[in-house]
Amino acid sequence: DGGITQSPKYLFRKEGQNVTLSCEQNLNHDAMYWYRQDPGQGLRLIYYSQIVNDFQKGDIAEGYSVSREKKESFPLTVTSAQKNPTAFYLCASSKGTGNYGYTFGSGTRLTVV
Amino acid sequence: GENVEQHPSTLSVQEGDSAVIKCTYSDSASNYFPWYKQELGKGPQLIIDIRSNVGEKKDQRIAVTLNKTAKHFSLHITETQPEDSAVYFCAASIWTGNQFYFGTGTSLTVIP
């Protein structure tokens, strides 16, 4: 079955460390997205990519970095520059941008310890 | 940019009753409006969507209505069941746009 897989499900980070969240899809979708979810704030866009080797900043890109070397993969690195990284991170993909519904992964909960 | 507001933030209904969640949007160019259901600890799942050339869409117990003039759209769930309990998000996007703009979510509880 096609789908989108995020790993790990839970991640703990010490202050000052970089961590990378994995996102893989086998839906043959062109576009991929990273959202951050905080209680009461809905979903906020971090980065998105419409095509391999290209990506764009979203509304809250500071302290994050991404790469899109393969169509199937869109990893997110949370750097030490992100001051408040504790959150639930969601990866999504779609056939393209605009009027195509997202398929979401099951999320990664990142906690700074 | 687009601003999507969603109400109420929490909603409790008795099993079998109907639930209505409302969203408004600010950009008249928005023309695609999906609704997502998120269960605890999971990613959101698309449950229904509507495009701006349609005023209403139904799928069994779920329906969505769109009023382009007033720039609001609503999710209607009839004959609610305990498994409908979840957080529901509305969203809006533009055909030529690069992202969805999400509402802040509604936590629905169906009381058996």
Side-chain angles (χ1 to χ4, degrees), chain B residues 23-69:
Chain B
C23 288
T24 61
Y25 60 99
S26 60
D27 192 338
S28 56
S30 290
N31 55 9
Y32 176 63
F33 308 92
W35 284 89
Y36 290 86
K37 175 183 180 182
Q38 185 177 26
E39 297 176 343
L40 195 63
K42 297 183 179 179
Q45 284 194 305
L46 178 69
I47 55 171
I48 195 167
D49 57 11
I50 191 167
R51 302 181 190 278
S52 60
N53 59 345
V54 175
E56 182 176 359
K57 183 176 179 180
K58 274 187 173 182
D59 184 3
Q60 299 183 328
R61 297 186 296 109
I62 295 174
V64 57
T65 58
L66 171 64
N67 184 325
K68 287 192 296 181
T69 303

Side-chain angles (χ1 to χ4, degrees), chain A residues 9 33 35 37 40-43 45 48 50 59 88 90 97-102 104-107, chain B residues 31-32 36 38 41-46 51 89 93-104:
Chain A
K9 191 170 180 65
Y33 310 82
Y35 281 87
Q37 186 174 28
Q41 294 197 44
L43 283 71
L45 183 65
Y48 66 94
Q50 297 174 261
D59 299 322
F88 190 53
L90 286 162
T97 55
N99 287 8
Y100 293 104
Y102 287 177
F104 280 94
S106 55
Chain B
N31 55 9
Y32 176 63
Y36 290 86
Q38 185 177 26
K42 297 183 179 179
Q45 284 194 305
L46 178 69
R51 302 181 190 278
F89 290 96
S93 77
I94 302 170
W95 174 253
T96 56
N98 295 316
Q99 63 169 298
F100 289 160
Y101 295 89
F102 286 89
T104 50

Side-chain angles (χ1 to χ4, degrees), chain A residues 9-24:
Chain A
K9 191 170 180 65
Y10 299 97
L11 187 57
F12 296 90
R13 189 194 94 171
K14 292 183 180 179
E15 288 194 17
Q17 279 185 336
N18 293 353
V19 291
T20 298
L21 283 59
S22 172
C23 179
E24 303 275 335

Side-chain angles (χ1 to χ4, degrees), chain A:
Chain A
D1 287 340
I4 183 165
T5 302
Q6 288 187 243
S7 62
K9 191 170 180 65
Y10 299 97
L11 187 57
F12 296 90
R13 189 194 94 171
K14 292 183 180 179
E15 288 194 17
Q17 279 185 336
N18 293 353
V19 291
T20 298
L21 283 59
S22 172
C23 179
E24 303 275 335
Q25 55 98 0
N26 60 2
L27 299 165
N28 200 32
H29 283 173
D30 288 317
M32 297 187 74
Y33 310 82
W34 274 105
Y35 281 87
R36 171 178 170 143
Q37 186 174 28
D38 295 284
Q41 294 197 44
L43 283 71
R44 293 183 291 167
L45 183 65
I46 304 172
Y47 268 97
Y48 66 94
S49 169
Q50 297 174 261
I51 196 169
V52 174
N53 293 323
D54 184 60
F55 47 83
Q56 305 295 329
K57 291 181 179 180
D59 299 322
I60 55 166
E62 185 175 352
Y64 300 97
S65 66
V66 293
S67 63
R68 188 86 186 276
E69 298 177 1
K70 298 186 301 180
K71 187 176 185 177
E72 301 80 15
S73 179
F74 191 42
L76 173 74
T77 297
V78 184
T79 75
S80 57
Q82 170 50 237
K83 298 305 179 189
N84 185 23
T86 295
F88 190 53
Y89 290 87
L90 286 162
C91 181
S93 68
S94 67
K95 289 181 183 178
T97 55
N99 287 8
Y100 293 104
Y102 287 177
T103 299
F104 280 94
S106 55
T108 293
R109 185 166 297 281
L110 173 64
T111 304
V112 173
V113 295

